Every structure is written in C-alpha cells, then in structure tokens.
Amino acid sequence: MCLSDHALSHYKRGAQAPEIVTLSHCLPLQSRSIFISSFASNMDEHKLGYKGNDVLQDLEILTMNAKAAQELILRKILEKNHGTEYLNKFMNGSTDISAFKSQVPVVTYDVVQPYIARIAAGEPSSILCGEQIVELLRSSGTSRGEPRLMPSISEDLYRRTYLYSLIMPIMNNQICRYIRGLGEGKAMYLLFVKAETLTNAGIPVRSVLTSYYKSPHFLHRKHDLYNKYTGPDEVILCPESEQSMYCQLLCGLVERQHVLRLGAVFASAFLRSISFLEQHWCDLVSDIRIGQLSSNITNSTCRLAIQSFLALPNPELADEIEAICSSESWKGILGKLWPNVKYIEAVLTGTMAQYIPMLEFYSDGKIPLVCTMYASSESYFGVNLRPLCSPKDVSYTILPNMAYFEFIPLEDGRKLIEDDEVVENDTLVSLVDVKVGCYYELVVTTFSGLYRYRVGDVLQVTGFYNRAPQFKFICRRNVILSVDSDKTNEEDLHNSVTRAKEILENRNYLLLEYTSCTDTSTVPGHYVLFWEIKSTCEGATPCVPLDAQILESCCIAVEEALDYVYRRCRAHDRSIGPLEIRLVEAGAFDDLMDLLVSQGSSINQYKTPRCIESGPALKLLNSRVTGSFFSPRDPEWTV
Ligand code: AMP
C-alpha cells in the first residue's frame, strides 16, 4: 500500500529507536533489559508491534525501578537538549539535574507557543529541542481559541508503540482466565484520521492518532496476534470520516460472527458510530444484500478496499441484520449484532464517563466496558493494569520510561492552581514520591521540547504498582463542558455568552443568569445553556417579542465564539450536535440558589455554578423550562 511504503521509507531514511538503549548501562543489570527490550527490538521494522507476553516481564522491571528510570530519562533529556535556546536561558548549557530542578520554571502552553510558532515558520528545531521536530501534534487543548501544537520527534513513535504493545498482553493476562481464543477473532475498532496541514516551513500538523495510524508502527502490525481489525487500513486512513465510518461498520457487520472486541479510542467516537449505524443500517443491509457498495461512498481507495467484503450478494446475512436493526428498541443491540463480543474498549474516564449509561443501554449491561490507557499529544502516560474493573474504579499506572514526570500538589484536596499563578519549583513532587490519596496536577518534561509543562490534568494517587504510582483521572483543569475532544472552560463559556447576549440587549432584554450542561442523551451530545431573561422595556414602549429566530441567532452567536476545537467537532467531525438554549421561567435561578444553599453552599459566597452536571439542581432547571431553541446552522470553521 502506497502510504505505508511512503511512511516506511521515511523511517528507513531518518528515524531511529530511542538511544535510551545505550544509557541503560547506567541501570542495575536487571533493569537494563527493560530499556533494551522496550526499544531496541523495535529497530527492526518488521518486528514493530506485538512482542508477546515478554513485555509484561519488562513492565515488572520497569515499575520496580521507577526511580532509576526517571532519573535516567531526565539525564538523557538534558544531555540531548541542554544546548537549546529554551533550556540555555535557564541553565546556561548545564546538564546538571539539580540546576534543572531549581532553575527551569513550570510553564503553561503560552510560554512554549512562541517557540513553536517560530519553528512552524522555519526557524531550526534546536531553539527548543536537540532533535529534529518532524511533526506538530494538534492537541484538543486550545490557547486563545487556537489549537495547541505539540512538538514531536521521530523516536516518540517508539514510545507510543511501546505503550500500545502492553495493552493486549495485559488484557490477555487478565481475561484469559475467563475467555479463551481472544487472538483468533477480530476487533471492530472504529479508528479515524483527521485532515492534516503543513506549516509555512512544511512541517506536518496532525493529530497524534493520525500520526500513529499513518506510521509503519500501526500499518506493519500484521503478525500481531491481537491486532486483526475488521476495517482495512485503507478505510481507517480515509480522511472523509463519514465514508470511513460507513465502510468500517460495513466490514464489522459482514464479519459479525468473528468480532470478539468492539471499541474506539474515546467512548464519544464509538457512540457516534453506533448512532450513525442507527441512521444508515438500511443502506448497509442493502449493500450486503446485493453485494455492492453504496454509490454514496465516493472515495476510490475505500471502494477498492471494500470490494473483497462484498464479493458476492449475501441475502441471508442481510436478513439477519435487518431483523435485528428493525427492532423497536436498540437496547442491547451490540450483543445482538456482534454475538461473540467479549468486551468494549474505549476511554470512559474523565469527561467520557458521561457516556457509560448510553453504552450500558446499547450493551444491555452485559458486555464489560474496558478502559486501557491514558495518553495525550504531549506524551503517552500510562496503562490500566486491571482493565476488567468497573470504569469508575480505573487507575492508570504511569510508565516511568515515557517522559520525566513531576506533580504539583493540590492543597486542600482539589483546589486548582490558575494558569497564571507561579508554581514554585520546590513544591514539585517527583513520580515516586507522590502520596496515596493526594491530588496532583501533572507536569511533564519530554524529549521533544516540553520542559516542566503543565498538561492540565488533575489526578489522584490510588496506590502503587511496584514502585510506580497509580492514578485516578479526576478532571481536566478548568474544563466545565466537553462532549468530544472539545474542552470549554468557564472563561470561554462566559466570553461566548457575552457575545450572544448583545443580541438580546439590542432588543431590550437582559440575560439575568445562565448556567450550562452537556446533554449526551442525544448522539452526538450537545451543549445546553439555561437562560433566564428579563425584559427591560419600560412604560408604554412595548418590547419586540422574543421569537425563535432571535434565540436561534443567540445559539449560533455562542457557537461562533467558542474555540476552534469546538467548532471543528461541530461543523467538520460532527461529533457535537447543535447548541441548545433552554429558556427558564422568571425566578428559576433564585430557586436554584435556594436549593444549593439548602444543600450546604454558603449564602455569602454563593456563585451561580456555570455548569451543572446532574442531580436535583439540573432537575429543577429542567422543570422550569419554557422553551428550547437550537443553532440553525453550523458555526464557521476552517482547517
Ligand atoms: P489530546 O492532547 O487532545 O490528545 O488530549 C489529551 C487529554 O485527553 C489528556 O490530557 C486528558 O485530559 C484526556 N485523556 C486522555 N486519555 C484519558 C483517559 N484515559 N481518561 C481521561 N482523560 C483522558
């Protein structure tokens, strides 16, 4: 296939496995092997991917030597990157670890952004990183409405592959006592790539998953026992996400008896695909019946890849699927369509927890939900060593060879530290010194040019696996609304509501109060704003009545003012539905205050919560709704 060959040639030319291998000589004899086996075997491109249960032994050694591994990682990062403009500013070219700890400040994206912008414009990578930055990874975080771009070097792919290579051995280790033959079946994992662009200097800008799926690490996994996906790579790599989704579902349906695992990276994407199936199953059934792909699929690579799945008409299979899909309720549909499925894998922690009820509905609570890993564009972090546990009990064990990890202790349990607050260096806690039960904000130092960078995630320590701590994901700092990869904080919401309320003010109405929630009972989920509005018209001047058109224009005004990732999810990926404003009757927010005060809020310090997740407060507001209005169109969006 041409893309993988192209990607492979890139690897032959440039990329190398991390040099950590050589540094492993500084480790105790036993722990050297972890570095050697984690990375060195990857140097042979034909061995990329699955390396069997040996990786679990490596994991033991790695976690037992967490402290030494972290010291080694930091030493290596400083050796490679001490000459960069960024580190030089604080350390004067030193590679000394104590100089790093006392002099390099803890930063947020705004500090790194100017360096990334310079590299994007053509300045050498060396201003930030000792290695060539080969791509910029578009993260779901934004800064002033623009996507954040994370630097990435070739060897980062090896680190990501290492983490992926642990997933199935861990899973198999847990599951084989109950389920045999997992490797003999297939996985219907709905995986997607996103459009990529080039910076002025020609550096690709893409998502971390797009980068991985296009790499030989993913494409050359054929000998990996557990990585047989129903969707052909060509279909996964199709940039038109709806066409890709259609074809992936088609393949999954054709192979329904062989599918043992279902999943997607995030639960939102999995549910989006199931709702897509709800809308399109008639077309899919018809394709299977006549043995011909719908003409709506225009992508020629997808068409070619699907040919073998529809080689012959299959009316029996079409009848079976039709009978299942045409039932009135889709409760338990997943087990009916894929009768041999053993578990559903997706991220279900953090904001994705809101999708658990929907997944339980579609699986009728009978298929285990499995969360395997915790990762980001900045760095991959860790794995869940008990993947069969309930999603609400998931803890991730941080892998000490991914990056250098430090932690900002959060006082008073979870009191968050603002972006612009200075974090004193001596308050940082290293990976092995975190305390069980305490809350921390995660800080990473990577090989690719992030130094003491605040990732923005709040974690709680739940225990240790050997010497490596395990964390529960608590929340993303500041985020109050999130449906997919969007992350809207209180300030973003406030700014966008402020824009929209001008429309009301021009018509003599005032927005008295507002709050918000996400509604994931619809697929895709959407943002809901509760608004209490008051007329400011006095005496004889009658107000123009507030009609649906005005409120719809408020909806779209809010959406247009939300950040890039929200607008992309809404207008391009279609992973978020149109924003809704629910008008509530006069006095509803007073009643809300009474309720919250009765539940323990201080009346002196009461502030209307800008987001209400569930419970009696949400019930109260919903019971006072007088009208509901949706955005009439997509917000503006450009790549
Ligand atoms: P991105 O940089 O767009 O890849 O997003 C990374 C962020 O997604 C992380 O920093 C977390 O906030 C969130 N995330 C990733 N994996 C998980 C997980 N397993 N559970 C909860 N949140 C996650």
Side-chain angles (χ1 to χ4, degrees):
M1 198 185 58
C2 54
L3 222 167
S4 75
D5 289 342
H6 170 76
L8 191 60
S9 67
H10 160 80
Y11 278 81
K12 283 180 178 150
R13 276 199 314 273
Q16 283 181 359
E19 236 185 89
I20 288 174
V21 173
T22 53
L23 258 192
S24 67
H25 297 302
C26 314
L27 280 177
L29 195 64
Q30 198 189 23
S31 43
R32 280 180 207 169
S33 70
I34 173 58
F35 293 99
I36 295 165
S37 54
S38 310
F39 298 109
S41 58
N42 281 336
M43 293 186 86
D44 177 353
E45 66 222 10
H46 298 294
K47 287 192 186 147
L48 291 178
Y50 182 70
K51 286 181 287 297
N53 285 331
D54 288 355
V55 290
L56 295 184
Q57 276 164 17
D58 288 353
L59 187 63
E60 286 299 308
I61 298 167
L62 178 64
T63 50
M64 279 192 294
N65 293 283
K67 187 169 181 195
Q70 280 283 279
E71 276 167 12
L72 190 64
I73 290 273
L74 181 56
R75 208 175 327 138
K76 188 67 192 166
I77 290 175
L78 294 179
E79 251 174 40
K80 284 195 164 191
N81 296 342
H82 70 279
T84 59
E85 182 184 315
Y86 187 94
L87 276 185
N88 236 323
K89 214 167 58 173
F90 306 108
M91 297 177 65
N92 289 325
S94 162
T95 54
D96 182 40
I97 288 188
S98 54
F100 171 84
K101 290 189 176 170
S102 61
Q103 284 155 32
V104 177
V106 177
V107 295
T108 55
Y109 185 72
D110 288 355
V111 173
V112 190
Q113 189 276 340
Y115 291 84
I116 292 176
R118 283 166 60 192
I119 293 167
E123 285 195 48
S125 302
S126 60
I127 59 174
L128 196 58
C129 178
E131 298 271 325
Q132 186 68 27
I133 289 170
V134 293
E135 56 187 357
L136 294 171
L137 302 178
R138 205 190 286 122
S139 105
S140 54
T142 51
S143 174
R144 296 192 202 89
E146 292 303 312
R148 291 184 186 174
L149 301 179
M150 298 301 162
S152 179
I153 56 179
S154 311
E155 64 174 47
D156 285 336
L157 265 170
Y158 290 89
R159 275 180 270 276
R160 291 177 205 129
T161 303
Y162 172 70
L163 191 143
Y164 285 123
S165 75
L166 293 173
I167 303 295
M168 280 318 290
I170 293 170
M171 199 66 221
N172 201 33
N173 195 36
Q174 277 246 309
I175 216 169
C176 65
R177 275 171 247 147
Y178 315 100
I179 303 161
R180 305 218 166 266
L182 208 53
E184 284 146 34
K186 293 202 169 184
M188 188 183 84
Y189 281 178
L190 295 141
L191 307 176
F192 303 97
V193 297
K194 290 199 164 135
E196 51 180 81
T197 52
L198 292 176
T199 69
N200 286 345
I203 304 172
V205 177
R206 45 172 83 110
S207 78
V208 65
L209 292 169
T210 301
S211 160
Y212 184 71
Y213 298 146
K214 287 186 171 180
S215 77
H217 296 236
F218 176 77
L219 295 170
H220 290 196
R221 66 187 187 285
K222 301 296 177 207
H223 45 274
D224 178 345
L225 187 60
Y226 296 102
N227 272 337
K228 288 186 217 116
Y229 299 136
T230 50
D233 293 344
E234 294 83 345
V235 165
I236 292 171
L237 295 180
C238 167
E240 278 105 0
S241 53
E242 292 212 346
Q243 300 204 26
S244 170
M245 196 181 287
Y246 187 95
C247 294
Q248 291 191 52
L249 287 166
L250 181 72
C251 300
L253 288 172
V254 169
E255 301 216 62
R256 61 188 279 263
Q257 298 294 347
H258 302 288
V259 171
L260 299 189
R261 298 178 285 145
L262 293 175
V265 178
F266 287 98
S268 54
F270 184 75
L271 281 171
R272 170 95 183 88
S273 304
I274 299 309
S275 125
F276 183 88
L277 178 63
E278 234 168 324
Q279 290 155 19
H280 295 278
W281 65 264
C282 287
D283 296 333
L284 290 158
V285 163
S286 148
D287 291 1
I288 294 170
R289 189 178 301 288
I290 60 175
Q292 213 165 37
L293 184 62
S294 158
S295 58
N296 290 336
I297 304 303
T298 52
N299 182 292
S300 55
T301 319
C302 280
R303 292 197 73 84
L304 202 65
I306 290 299
Q307 263 176 9
S308 62
F309 286 81
L310 293 176
L312 291 171
N314 194 340
E316 296 82 32
L317 179 62
D319 285 346
E320 281 166 26
I321 298 170
E322 184 169 27
I324 296 169
C325 290
S326 52
S327 72
E328 214 161 274
S329 166
W330 269 40
K331 189 164 193 270
I333 193 87
L334 298 175
K336 293 178 195 158
L337 283 174
W338 291 283
N340 298 314
V341 86
K342 307 298 180 211
Y343 64 85
I344 301 171
E345 179 181 342
V347 169
L348 281 162
T349 40
T351 58
M352 293 292 138
Q354 63 188 316
Y355 297 109
I356 295 172
M358 282 297 271
L359 277 175
E360 283 176 340
F361 172 81
Y362 284 123
S363 63
D364 201 13
K366 290 181 184 146
I367 309 175
L369 303 177
V370 163
C371 274
T372 56
M373 59 183 275
Y374 167 40
S376 80
S377 316
E378 290 90 337
S379 164
Y380 278 23
F381 303 125
V383 289
N384 175 9
L385 295 176
R386 289 173 50 235
L388 285 179
C389 71
S390 152
K392 61 180 194 321
D393 297 327
V394 169
S395 284
Y396 299 101
T397 304
I398 297 277
L399 300 178
N401 58 352
M402 290 289 115
Y404 182 67
F405 298 107
E406 291 171 286
F407 296 84
I408 307 172
L410 298 179
E411 254 177 58
D412 175 22
R414 310 157 66 147
K415 191 169 161 285
L416 303 184
I417 297 172
E418 298 297 329
D419 275 8
D420 50 6
E421 251 179 90
V422 174
V423 178
E424 298 298 340
N425 284 356
D426 57 7
T427 60
L428 289 192
V429 176
S430 60
L431 182 73
V432 292
D433 293 324
V434 294
K435 299 271 174 293
V436 175
C438 294
Y439 293 84
Y440 296 92
E441 195 192 310
L442 177 62
V443 171
V444 287
T445 295
T446 66
F447 284 89
S448 51
L450 297 175
Y451 308 100
R452 300 196 130 173
Y453 176 86
R454 292 171 68 181
V455 174
D457 291 346
V458 176
L459 310 173
Q460 185 190 22
V461 186
T462 54
F464 280 79
Y465 182 77
N466 294 325
R467 296 287 165 77
Q470 301 184 295
F471 293 91
K472 182 170 184 165
F473 184 93
I474 299 297
C475 64
R476 178 99 192 162
R477 191 161 44 89
N478 295 337
V479 170
I480 57 167
L481 293 173
S482 172
V483 167
D484 188 32
S485 52
D486 54 304
K487 295 179 176 64
T488 298
N489 65 30
E490 204 166 309
E491 195 187 346
D492 300 332
L493 181 67
H494 181 72
N495 290 340
S496 18
V497 167
T498 305
R499 287 273 190 91
K501 79 180 186 191
E502 286 165 15
I503 300 174
L504 296 179
E505 286 162 3
N506 291 339
R507 288 171 173 80
N508 296 320
Y509 287 95
L510 212 62
L511 178 64
L512 273 188
E513 263 301 1
Y514 74 91
T515 188
S516 66
C517 69
T518 50
D519 182 349
T520 48
S521 64
T522 59
V523 180
H526 66 283
Y527 287 15
V528 175
L529 302 182
F530 292 94
W531 279 16
E532 187 173 325
I533 293 176
K534 182 179 157 40
S535 154
T536 55
C537 297
E538 283 175 40
T541 342
C543 264
V544 184
L546 261 189
D547 60 18
Q549 218 180 347
I550 297 174
L551 285 153
E552 283 169 8
S553 52
C554 290
C555 291
I556 189 70
V558 174
E559 290 201 295
E560 304 261 65
L562 284 171
D563 72 22
Y564 163 88
V565 176
Y566 175 89
R567 286 178 283 117
R568 188 193 68 205
C569 289
R570 222 337 236 121
H572 179 261
D573 304 346
R574 308 234 162 264
S575 52
I576 303 180
L579 179 137
E580 178 185 1
I581 291 178
R582 293 185 191 159
L583 283 193
V584 292
E585 59 195 34
F589 276 85
D590 288 342
D591 294 346
L592 176 71
M593 177 174 169
D594 291 346
L595 175 78
L596 295 177
V597 168
S598 76
Q599 290 178 342
S601 296
S602 146
I603 196 153
N604 284 326
Q605 290 159 271
Y606 178 81
K607 294 178 208 73
T608 303
R610 288 302 172 220
C611 178
I612 295 181
E613 281 171 13
S614 56
L618 191 60
K619 210 163 160 195
L620 181 144
L621 285 178
N622 273 324
S623 71
R624 304 296 159 85
V625 172
T626 55
S628 146
F629 307 88
F630 287 87
S631 250
R633 61 172 172 81
D634 291 347
E636 293 294 325
W637 177 85
T638 43
V639 179

